[in-house]
Amino acid sequence: MSKRLSPQVQNNTADDASCEAHLEALQLFCDDDQITLCSKCFQSQEHKHHVVYGVQEAAEYYRKLLHEMLNALKEKLEVAKSILADEQERMVMIQEEEQNFKGMIESEYRTRFQLWSEENDLNSRRLEAHMFDSNLREASLNQLTRFGTELEEKSQEMLQRLNDLGRENMNKLKESEARVSEQISKLQSITTELEKKCGESAFALLQDAKHFLERSEALLLQCLEPAHITEMNLCHIKGMSKMLRALQRNITLDPETAHPCLVFSEDLRSVRCGSIQQDAPGNLGRFDFGATVLGVECFTSGRHYWEVDVEKATKWQLGVCRDSIQMKGSRTSAPGDRVLLMGAKMGTNYTFWVFPPLKKVSLRKQILKVGVFLDCKYGQISFYNVTEQSLIYNFSNLTLQGALKPMFSLCIPNGAMDLDSLTVCPPHIPS
């Protein structure tokens, strides 16, 4: 009766390995039972309907399968290593992002308090000019204190939500790191075993070959995917200070700084890309590396706010740049020369970026109108989604040197007519 290979037989060659039952050479291999056979074993009723190969033929067949499996496992090992590196990088990134969001929350609520405080102080002085009331200042201070307390509570609530979300994301990434690390260890172990197995002699290779394949396939089929974490944009700050409207400036576009392909409305509030470059004399103040134009207005101090309708633009940039920035023929500038929010529509998807440094903003819905706030004194530039009444992104503690101008850009068309346009909104008139 045939048997599985004994340890002694495993070390023999095909020429001297013999059947323990019939003492004949083991030259055949039963694929159903995964054992070697002699000619008499093959003729027995037990193997009558089984698939049987020659030992060398079976060994080459399984060697090929093992090589293919080894290559597949090596590919999966590289994928697993890549995922592990990504997860570890994401851990660093979400910590940085959490700190960044924390700074934005604190900066935004600090700005709201400052604006409201100044408005409250201004209203108090107006009332005092008409009548003197000893209780007026006390009432005003009490109101300011209540508002400050309310803002502090909202700020702390946002920071707590951010902290909870950051901790939840970090836990998910750590669990993923441990899971992927374990799979890498298993993959490294089995690939080492398979490499050794593929180099064995025919008889040794056939021993447990099918078991090796089954183990390998089970590991190959195990799912490998990164952790699904919650985007920080769920902690975005809602609401906008009413004082921003009081700071809204009457911004107009300066054709003298415009790219030649840009066409302007008569009131110099709207700009679009023309199909043919407009005739324009050379001007050192003209942007010629992008469809960009600056605002006429120039700011060196104080707080300023303006709104831009971007609904009809598929690719746009808005922000602030230094008035002394070199434009003609220059494609590079120092990071502090400009601060930008960029939007792009690809099909039905929207992506948004800020600069500097270049960083993706976690927003997926179309933005129709953008509010830009500039505080020269405190070095702050904020971008708002005016329609949703929420903060998109803010930069704080910037070193803003020299005169600053509003900046507007569209994507240069590739020959065909481009209907993209931007419109600077006029200041709101109080009712």
Side-chain angles (χ1 to χ4, degrees):
M1 185 176 179
S2 59
K3 298 180 180 178
R4 293 187 181 275
L5 292 178
S6 65
Q8 292 79 15
V9 173
Q10 290 179 45
N11 296 322
N12 293 337
T13 64
D15 294 329
D16 60 14
S18 59
C19 174
E20 294 178 357
H22 305 113
L23 302 178
E24 289 191 6
L26 294 168
Q27 297 179 333
L28 303 171
F29 181 76
C30 176
D31 197 54
D32 293 72
D33 292 339
Q34 292 286 298
I35 57 175
T36 51
L37 308 172
C38 68
S39 58
K40 289 185 179 179
C41 294
F42 174 60
Q43 294 170 6
S44 69
Q45 190 69 23
E46 183 181 354
H47 300 286
K48 183 178 180 180
H49 300 293
H50 289 179
V51 178
V52 177
Y53 302 98
V55 167
Q56 294 301 325
E57 181 186 5
E60 289 311 306
Y61 170 73
Y62 275 100
R63 198 184 306 277
K64 180 182 177 182
L65 291 181
L66 289 168
H67 269 298
E68 290 174 352
M69 182 61 73
L70 177 60
N71 290 334
L73 288 170
K74 284 183 175 180
E75 287 181 8
K76 181 157 187 174
L77 177 59
E78 291 307 309
V79 171
K81 288 180 178 179
S82 177
I83 291 176
L84 179 62
D86 288 344
E87 297 297 74
Q88 292 170 340
E89 184 179 351
R90 288 168 81 194
M91 287 184 191
V92 176
M93 288 177 63
I94 66 166
Q95 287 178 320
E96 293 177 351
E97 190 175 7
E98 183 178 348
Q99 288 302 311
N100 185 47
F101 265 86
K102 180 181 178 181
M104 286 202 295
I105 291 170
E106 292 173 342
S107 174
E108 175 63 14
Y109 280 104
R110 182 170 58 248
T111 297
R112 291 187 186 185
F113 182 77
Q114 288 170 349
L115 291 175
W116 194 90
S117 177
E118 290 178 10
E119 180 187 22
N120 187 67
D121 190 49
L122 181 62
N123 290 335
S124 296
R125 287 201 301 269
R126 285 173 181 169
L127 287 173
E128 287 176 351
H130 293 85
M131 62 177 184
F132 179 80
D133 187 343
S134 60
N135 296 322
L136 184 61
R137 179 165 294 278
E138 183 180 354
S140 177
L141 287 173
N142 289 338
Q143 188 178 14
L144 184 62
T145 301
R146 286 195 301 272
F147 184 75
T149 302
E150 182 182 332
L151 284 181
E152 178 64 21
E153 289 174 353
K154 287 182 179 180
S155 174
Q156 290 304 314
E157 181 183 340
M158 288 291 298
L159 291 172
Q160 185 60 51
R161 278 168 51 192
L162 180 66
N163 182 64
D164 293 343
L165 182 57
R167 185 169 57 251
E168 177 186 321
N169 283 341
M170 185 59 73
N171 288 338
K172 288 179 180 179
L173 288 171
K174 285 182 177 179
E175 289 172 4
S176 177
E177 180 189 34
R179 184 171 60 253
V180 176
S181 295
E182 183 181 359
Q183 284 197 301
I184 288 174
S185 178
K186 290 179 179 179
L187 286 165
Q188 288 174 329
S189 175
I190 201 164
T191 52
T192 300
E193 291 181 57
L194 280 176
E195 285 176 338
K196 182 180 177 182
K197 189 73 175 171
C198 288
E200 291 178 341
S201 65
F203 275 81
L205 183 139
L206 290 173
Q207 177 73 9
D208 292 331
K210 193 170 185 178
H211 175 64
F212 264 91
L213 287 171
E214 289 172 349
R215 278 179 57 208
S216 301
E217 186 175 13
L219 190 56
L220 194 62
L221 292 175
Q222 286 184 13
C223 183
L224 256 182
E225 61 178 19
H228 298 285
I229 62 175
T230 307
E231 293 181 349
M232 292 288 186
N233 69 319
L234 289 182
C235 289
H236 71 280
I237 305 168
K238 296 182 179 180
M240 292 173 60
S241 172
K242 295 179 181 179
M243 269 294 286
L244 290 175
R245 292 289 171 84
L247 299 171
Q248 190 167 358
R249 306 307 177 205
N250 188 19
I251 304 295
T252 53
L253 306 173
D254 184 1
E256 292 297 315
T257 62
H259 186 278
C261 80
L262 293 176
V263 179
F264 299 89
S265 61
E266 289 186 9
D267 62 2
L268 296 179
R269 290 191 185 280
S270 296
V271 59
R272 64 177 177 82
C273 289
S275 57
I276 303 175
Q277 290 194 352
Q278 305 297 302
D279 293 331
N283 186 324
L284 290 179
R286 179 183 299 278
F287 279 89
D288 68 349
F289 57 85
T292 302
V293 61
L294 300 184
V296 172
E297 291 68 29
C298 189
F299 307 116
T300 57
S301 62
R303 296 189 178 102
H304 312 276
Y305 175 76
W306 59 94
E307 294 179 353
V308 186
D309 188 331
V310 297
E311 183 177 3
K312 295 180 181 178
T314 55
K315 293 181 181 179
W316 49 265
Q317 295 181 349
L318 299 175
V320 176
C321 78
R322 284 198 297 113
D323 187 29
S324 58
I325 182 175
Q326 292 182 351
M327 298 173 242
K328 186 69 174 178
S330 173
R331 291 180 177 269
T332 59
S333 59
D337 284 342
R338 64 192 69 189
V339 176
L340 300 172
L341 170 68
M342 295 163 273
K345 178 184 179 183
M346 301 294 288
T348 58
N349 297 320
Y350 296 88
T351 56
F352 302 94
W353 302 77
V354 291
F355 175 86
L358 187 62
K359 183 186 299 183
K360 193 172 184 179
V361 180
S362 299
L363 293 173
R364 292 199 176 97
K365 292 175 62 178
Q366 180 184 14
I367 296 176
L368 304 179
K369 188 182 292 185
V370 176
V372 184
F373 172 67
L374 167 65
D375 188 332
C376 298
K377 181 179 179 180
Y378 291 98
Q380 180 170 330
I381 297 175
S382 303
F383 297 98
Y384 296 92
N385 183 335
V386 178
T387 308
E388 298 287 334
Q389 290 286 293
S390 62
L391 178 71
I392 299 171
Y393 199 90
N394 71 18
F395 297 86
S396 57
N397 301 315
L398 298 173
T399 303
L400 302 176
Q401 297 178 342
L404 303 170
K405 284 196 168 190
M407 181 176 174
F408 313 84
S409 293
L410 289 169
C411 185
I412 300 175
N414 295 319
M417 177 65 74
D418 195 321
L419 300 178
D420 276 16
S421 67
L422 293 173
T423 300
V424 184
C425 303
H428 291 265
I429 300 174
S431 55

